[in-house]
Amino acid sequence: MNSHLLSGLNPEQRAAVELPAQSALILAGAGSGKTRVLTTRIAYLISTGQVSPHGILAVTFTNKAAKEMVTRLSAMLPINTRGMWIGTFHGLCNRMLRAHFREANLPQTFQILDSGDQLSAIKRVMKALNVDDEKYPPREMQWFISGSKEQGLRAHEVEAYDPYTKRKVEVFAEYDAQCQREGVVDFSELLLRCYELLSRNTQLREHYQERFKHILVDEFQDTNPLQYRWLKLLAGKENALFAVGDDDQSIYAFRGANVGNMQELLRDFHVESVIKLEQNYRSHGNILEAANALIEHNRNRLGKNLWTSESGGEKLRVYEAPTDVDEAAFIVEEIQQLKREGVNLTEMALLYRSNAQSRVLEHALVSAGLSYRVYGGLRFFERQEIKHALAYLRLMENTDDDNALLRIINFPTRGIGARSLEQLQETARMNGTTLWDAAARAGGKVSAFVALIESLRSATKDLPLPEIMDHVLEHSGLVAHYESEKTSASKKREAEERLENLNELVNAATLFVHENEDDSLTAFLTHASLEAGEHQAGDSEDALHLMTVHAAKGLEFHTVFITGLEEGLFPHQNSQNVDGGLDEERRLMYVAITRARRRLYLTFAQSRMLHGKVNYGMASSFLRELPEELLLWLTPRVSARRTFGNSSYETSSYVAAFGGASAEPAPPPPGALWKMGQRVFHQKFGEGTVTGIEGGGADARVQVNFKHAGSKWLALEYAKLTAV
Ligand code: ATP
Ligand code: MG
């Protein structure tokens, strides 16, 4: 009966699918069919009657992957996949918290803070506590809070011995208290809260343990300690955890993901079967060989060998451009040529290490009239006008949501100045209430705003979602605001685009109602927070994929362009002084290479403009780690003309450019770029020694004790420091 399910699999894959109901680890390289095995196992378990769809919990890495899994399952089995628990860690935790909001001590309509909202919430707390944001850069604080939560730690559990850390813990505690008052949760809170719910509430835990007999996890190598503990709780003593992963593709160590989980899994779950899959079905031989050769430079691998029965195929095409603009122009030409040869745009991907790189590429694509979709960049739900519109809806749902209130109380402008806002915040602080409560007692323009929100609420109470959206866009004044901006020549285009996006929001709501049983406003707002970026307009259109390498995990394309292969950019400068940093960059490069099925381009530029500065770089040392005989140089070979490997971008402005918020994902290990005690040279102050480091990314500052000029704090973004 299941023969059709198993027929396309090789013996090892088949063995994995047919394993008895026990915990197992499938450890296998890229493109060896891990995800396929996992999906097939779900179908197999259901079709052999071992479990009902209701008893499955499957965790994937992105919502896109979850959707794909559900689609594949429906194709394999005649079952209703709709209510199945297949999703991301965040998505599944959100679902549990919604179902048990009381037990989790949350309001029914709790809202989710994305990382931008979280940052502004943190800034508010810091202001209230009088914390110096020079000394404690808010971004670093955000990193600290999320990082602690991802380790499963609440503020009072963080070990703090020095006054500096103690202060950070204070902010952490107050931030959590503020979120609780306002009825909002950030991303890591979703997980931690859900974990705590299950660990404290025996009845609930037993209920879910009874239910989820089979728990399946894709990309297991990237689970962080908290996620692992969450899985362990759900699995209990009885249930089977089926994990698939690849240690060579672990790319979230900087966020606390832990390959060590694999060893723990073997121990904690008494895993008897570790199955290795070694045949790669994705890529042509040369691509695979290049990936294998690259990753061999890493130490501490669990070790696997990947082979393919495919022929070598084409060589990897390497292109050196004079500038980033030329690089983009070259890529556009190649894409057009491939298109003429019959390769669909959706079958091609442009990958980059840092989000900031996409702008030039996008510009070239737009000029050439090629459609594209950006994954993980400035996403639909993150655009300014969309966030404004959603803030109205959020405040209507939950008036305690101070973030939402602050965003729109004076947008569009209604004459509520910074002073009245400060007063409002002060009143709220003194009385220990939310801003809304304070506003409700205020007079004048503030009270008009309160009345507006209340009238929006009552007018839309019984309307379907798309009409709520429509009503709010009109009556909040948002549409009128952007309409009026259209009359200004300089803002015309931008305003038009924003209006189109707002329109698109109504479409998104319509689609949402069609696709979901729960079509409440709360459900839609959750969807907006969780799916940001993964659900963009025009999904069916033939369009190119643009994304960071991180976002490309698990995906595959006929043709892949890995762009910006320059030392300091990829491998990223931030990785240089971090332990194991270069190895992680190399795994990232391994992920990038193994996305390609048939053709792979490796491109780099001699100079690059980023954040308004020109930077000069050398070719990435990763290029040198690829066997020369696999490469086809489209421009004269670099290694013949100059050496590369040791040098990196010289200007510190480059460091700042890539270390900033736009690096994706932004890892700001404080002072990763310079070490204490390091000797440096400054054009004006001469030679000195680094004696202090603060902040990260664009906020990074170093203290240098100069031989002749004394001790100075320098902002890395402006200081031209070089190592000596
Ligand atoms: P990654 O590590 O990148 O996530 P993966 O191990 O999850 O990769 P899949 O995405 O499951 O690999 O499979 C890679 C490709 O190989 C897919 O196109 C899949 O359909 C195909 N594939 C997997 N197994 C087989 C097989 N036995 N026969 C033919 N094609 C296969
Ligand atoms: Mg996969």
Side-chain angles (χ1 to χ4, degrees), residues 29-36 38 65 69 72 218-219 221 244-245 249 282 553-556 595:
S32 58
K34 293 183 298 298
T35 304
R36 177 159 164 168
L38 190 139
M69 194 166 282
R72 281 207 224 168
D218 200 358
E219 311 274 6
Q221 75 280 356
V244 309
Q249 293 186 69
R282 180 179 293 148
K553 204 159 65 126
L555 306 179
E556 60 185 34
R595 298 309 99 200

Side-chain angles (χ1 to χ4, degrees), residues 304-363:
K304 330 171 220 66
N305 233 337
L306 269 183
W307 62 278
T308 175
S309 64
E310 294 277 349
S311 61
E314 297 177 353
K315 287 190 178 184
L316 284 56
R317 296 162 190 246
V318 188
Y319 185 84
E320 174 178 18
T323 68
D324 50 348
V325 174
D326 299 311
E327 182 192 35
F330 164 75
I331 290 170
V332 163
E333 269 173 42
E334 295 294 303
I335 290 170
Q336 279 166 333
Q337 179 57 30
L338 280 158
K339 208 172 152 217
R340 281 193 289 274
E341 289 168 15
V343 184
N344 286 333
L345 289 176
T346 52
E347 272 292 336
M348 303 184 223
L350 257 61
L351 306 184
Y352 36 84
R353 175 66 182 84
S354 298
N355 260 322
Q357 283 168 259
S358 81
R359 193 185 50 80
V360 175
L361 295 167
E362 286 188 61
H363 183 72

Side-chain angles (χ1 to χ4, degrees), residues 55 74 138 140 157 176 189 211 231 272 289 304 342 357 430 472 483 485 583 618 633 657-658 667 679:
S74 323
E140 200 185 300
E157 293 164 316
D176 265 2
E189 181 72 25
R211 174 174 176 177
L231 289 170
E272 284 162 25
E289 211 180 302
K304 330 171 220 66
Q357 283 168 259
M430 277 182 8
V472 171
E483 283 291 349
E485 284 208 330
D583 283 2
M618 295 292 192
W633 284 84
F658 283 111
R679 288 180 54 222

Side-chain angles (χ1 to χ4, degrees), residues 326-508:
D326 299 311
E327 182 192 35
F330 164 75
I331 290 170
V332 163
E333 269 173 42
E334 295 294 303
I335 290 170
Q336 279 166 333
Q337 179 57 30
L338 280 158
K339 208 172 152 217
R340 281 193 289 274
E341 289 168 15
V343 184
N344 286 333
L345 289 176
T346 52
E347 272 292 336
M348 303 184 223
L350 257 61
L351 306 184
Y352 36 84
R353 175 66 182 84
S354 298
N355 260 322
Q357 283 168 259
S358 81
R359 193 185 50 80
V360 175
L361 295 167
E362 286 188 61
H363 183 72
L365 293 170
V366 171
S367 315
L370 291 166
S371 339
Y372 65 91
R373 214 169 292 134
V374 182
Y375 288 80
L378 197 56
R379 308 144 168 190
F380 181 72
F381 285 116
E382 287 178 4
R383 294 180 188 148
Q384 187 211 83
E385 62 280 14
I386 301 298
K387 291 189 78 161
H388 285 322
L390 294 178
Y392 276 95
L393 297 162
R394 284 166 61 155
L395 193 60
M396 286 158 56
E397 277 280 284
N398 170 14
T399 51
D400 293 346
D401 192 336
D402 284 1
N403 272 312
L405 182 140
L406 283 174
R407 178 173 271 280
I408 51 169
I409 189 165
N410 198 35
F411 194 96
T413 25
R414 39 189 140 248
I416 301 176
R419 263 192 61 87
S420 5
L421 253 180
E422 250 166 45
Q423 265 170 11
L424 203 61
Q425 281 173 295
E426 190 51 37
T427 313
R429 223 172 359 250
M430 277 182 8
N431 301 333
T433 66
T434 59
L435 287 174
W436 176 263
D437 289 333
R441 271 181 257 129
K445 288 162 181 159
V446 172
S447 74
F449 171 74
V450 171
L452 168 70
I453 298 296
E454 271 171 352
S455 81
L456 289 176
R457 242 163 127 183
S458 59
T460 56
K461 207 161 58 87
D462 299 313
L463 293 182
L465 191 58
E467 283 172 42
I468 299 181
M469 210 66 79
D470 218 27
H471 183 94
V472 171
L473 292 181
E474 277 309 321
H475 293 83
S476 62
L478 278 177
V479 167
H481 170 81
Y482 290 117
E483 283 291 349
S484 76
E485 284 208 330
K486 262 174 40 182
T487 54
S488 139
S490 63
K491 291 190 178 160
K492 185 165 185 293
R493 259 199 76 122
E494 192 184 295
E496 276 170 358
E497 225 171 79
R498 293 193 194 281
L499 284 167
E500 270 170 31
N501 283 336
L502 287 178
N503 238 333
E504 191 54 40
L505 192 58
V506 182
N507 296 342

Side-chain angles (χ1 to χ4, degrees), residues 436-713:
W436 176 263
D437 289 333
R441 271 181 257 129
K445 288 162 181 159
V446 172
S447 74
F449 171 74
V450 171
L452 168 70
I453 298 296
E454 271 171 352
S455 81
L456 289 176
R457 242 163 127 183
S458 59
T460 56
K461 207 161 58 87
D462 299 313
L463 293 182
L465 191 58
E467 283 172 42
I468 299 181
M469 210 66 79
D470 218 27
H471 183 94
V472 171
L473 292 181
E474 277 309 321
H475 293 83
S476 62
L478 278 177
V479 167
H481 170 81
Y482 290 117
E483 283 291 349
S484 76
E485 284 208 330
K486 262 174 40 182
T487 54
S488 139
S490 63
K491 291 190 178 160
K492 185 165 185 293
R493 259 199 76 122
E494 192 184 295
E496 276 170 358
E497 225 171 79
R498 293 193 194 281
L499 284 167
E500 270 170 31
N501 283 336
L502 287 178
N503 238 333
E504 191 54 40
L505 192 58
V506 182
N507 296 342
T510 312
L511 191 71
F512 185 80
V513 171
H514 272 289
E515 285 184 346
N516 293 278
E517 262 159 80
D518 179 2
D519 57 8
S520 65
L521 181 54
T522 308
F524 180 78
L525 289 172
T526 304
H527 158 85
S529 309
L530 288 179
E531 295 215 354
E534 296 200 46
H535 185 101
Q536 292 185 45
D539 259 358
S540 55
E541 198 184 335
D542 183 31
L544 209 71
H545 289 80
L546 259 70
M547 62 186 92
T548 62
V549 182
H550 279 98
K553 204 159 65 126
L555 306 179
E556 60 185 34
F557 306 92
H558 174 282
T559 296
V560 170
F561 293 84
I562 306 176
T563 67
L565 277 168
E566 293 134 40
E567 199 64 14
L569 182 46
F570 198 5
H572 198 284
Q573 185 100 34
N574 278 0
S575 70
Q576 281 191 353
N577 295 334
V578 182
D579 220 20
L582 186 61
D583 283 2
E584 176 137 328
E585 291 293 306
R586 197 176 280 113
R587 288 192 293 270
L588 205 47
M589 181 66 180
Y590 174 78
V591 168
I593 294 175
T594 53
R595 298 309 99 200
R597 290 200 285 112
R598 297 292 170 256
R599 183 178 287 193
L600 182 60
Y601 287 90
L602 308 167
T603 67
F604 60 103
Q606 291 162 1
S607 75
R608 182 173 297 277
M609 177 95 162
L610 270 157
H611 303 297
K613 292 173 190 134
V614 180
N615 304 280
Y616 299 90
M618 295 292 192
S620 167
S621 51
F622 291 153
L623 277 173
R624 198 184 37 179
E625 295 178 0
L626 304 176
E628 201 57 61
E629 68 272 15
L630 300 177
L631 306 181
L632 172 68
W633 284 84
L634 304 173
T635 43
R637 178 176 308 172
V638 159
S639 51
R641 288 183 285 120
R642 47 182 149 91
T643 53
F644 54 161
N646 295 330
S647 61
S648 59
Y649 280 95
E650 278 153 18
T651 59
S652 50
S653 61
Y654 187 86
V655 173
F658 283 111
S662 49
E664 163 65 32
L673 315 168
W674 301 103
K675 282 192 204 132
M676 297 286 276
Q678 188 173 355
R679 288 180 54 222
V680 292
F681 179 79
H682 186 275
Q683 279 169 343
K684 194 161 144 215
F685 305 129
E687 255 185 54
T689 311
V690 175
T691 54
I693 298 170
E694 265 183 19
D699 302 323
R701 302 196 311 152
V702 290
Q703 186 178 36
V704 181
N705 193 5
F706 290 103
K707 264 190 201 155
H708 303 295
S711 182
K712 295 198 186 311
W713 277 102

